[in-house]
Amino acid sequence: MKNIIHVSEIRNSKKLCSILFNNLSTKKTIIIFALLSIIFSIFGTSEAFSQCTNTSSYGSAIAPTDGTVVQVSTCNFQTEYSTVSGFVAGQTYIAGYNLGGYITVRSGSSGGPVVASGNAPLTFTATVAGTYYIHYNLNSSCGIASSCGVSTIACSSCTGGGMTVPSTGNNSYTTCSGNLYDFGGAAGDYGNNWNGYTVLYPGVAGNMVQVSGTIAGETCCDYLYIYDGVG
């Protein structure tokens, strides 16, 4: 199920920026912070605690060049890796896996240098352009499991297409306009038990963000939370 929320940025000066937030999930807790001023926060890429290497390959995709979420595979085991081409050096990406667990990203080959590793979804910056190999494991000890999980790749720093709320964890955007989607992207639905949130920083210091719109979801278990405040 998809939902639409309209957001506009109200400034102390005469100009007005607007943001349209489409397809926000209500089956996950989404926290949107409407800030009165820009707060500089750092959401770091997960450090490489482990360097997992799987030998079985399954699933492939081309990394997006906008804010859409690309599905790599509908059934990746946590014994496999996927091959994703088209990464752009310097861009920030989110490797997702709906069953959670641990992700290791390698470049050059399936056993090449580790770009990043950490809990899913994993946010990382592409160090070189080209093809990356994304390994899925149960934990940082490189445990394995054979349940089907949906793997995705998104570009959180690419322009156009929209911004995404992660399926778990958090991210942030400093923007005056755009589209905000749940992690299912513009065309996909949100998943069960997603609980990520996004922090929104206004594009101009001193601005406020006004949120309005309609929410449609299951009354038993779908929730949307919007918080107004600093940090």
Side-chain angles (χ1 to χ4, degrees):
M1 188 175 295
K2 290 293 181 183
N3 304 285
I4 300 176
I5 292 181
H6 300 280
V7 178
S8 59
E9 183 176 305
I10 302 175
R11 309 177 333 166
N12 294 330
S13 58
K14 294 182 180 179
K15 293 183 179 178
L16 181 68
C17 296
S18 62
I19 305 173
L20 174 63
F21 290 80
N22 291 320
N23 307 322
L24 281 175
S25 162
T26 55
K27 191 176 276 287
K28 58 182 180 289
T29 303
I30 304 172
I31 305 173
I32 301 179
F33 291 84
L35 302 179
L36 301 181
S37 60
I38 295 178
I39 306 297
F40 293 95
S41 298
I42 300 175
F43 296 93
T45 301
S46 300
E47 296 182 0
F49 299 109
S50 179
Q51 299 183 355
C52 301
T53 305
N54 298 326
T55 57
S56 298
S57 173
Y58 190 82
S60 63
I62 300 174
T65 57
D66 56 22
T68 59
V69 179
V70 172
Q71 184 173 275
V72 181
S73 172
T74 59
C75 186
N76 265 130
F77 293 163
Q78 288 172 307
T79 59
E80 299 172 333
Y81 69 88
S82 295
T83 303
V84 182
S85 61
F87 283 94
V88 177
Q91 296 284 25
T92 300
Y93 296 88
I94 303 173
Y97 187 75
N98 73 325
L99 299 183
Y102 200 80
I103 291 177
T104 303
V105 180
R106 294 178 177 271
S107 64
S109 67
S110 61
V114 173
V115 176
S117 64
N119 294 327
L122 176 65
T123 299
F124 65 95
T125 299
T127 54
V128 295
T131 300
Y132 283 18
Y133 303 84
I134 303 176
H135 299 252
Y136 310 98
N137 290 91
L138 192 60
N139 49 45
S140 60
S141 298
C142 303
I144 60 175
S146 56
S147 298
C148 276
V150 178
S151 54
T152 56
I153 189 70
C155 180
S156 62
S157 63
C158 297
T159 58
M163 303 167 285
T164 56
V165 177
S167 59
T168 188
N170 63 80
N171 61 4
S172 65
Y173 297 98
T174 300
T175 184
C176 176
S177 62
N179 300 318
L180 179 65
Y181 300 96
D182 62 60
F183 204 65
D189 291 331
Y190 56 82
N192 292 334
N193 302 313
W194 284 4
N195 60 359
Y197 68 88
T198 291
V199 181
L200 297 174
Y201 298 95
V204 180
N207 286 10
M208 295 181 291
V209 177
Q210 178 175 291
V211 180
S212 63
T214 58
I215 301 298
E218 298 175 283
T219 56
C220 68
C221 43
D222 288 354
Y223 305 98
L224 171 69
Y225 294 100
I226 300 174
Y227 289 87
D228 178 13
V230 177

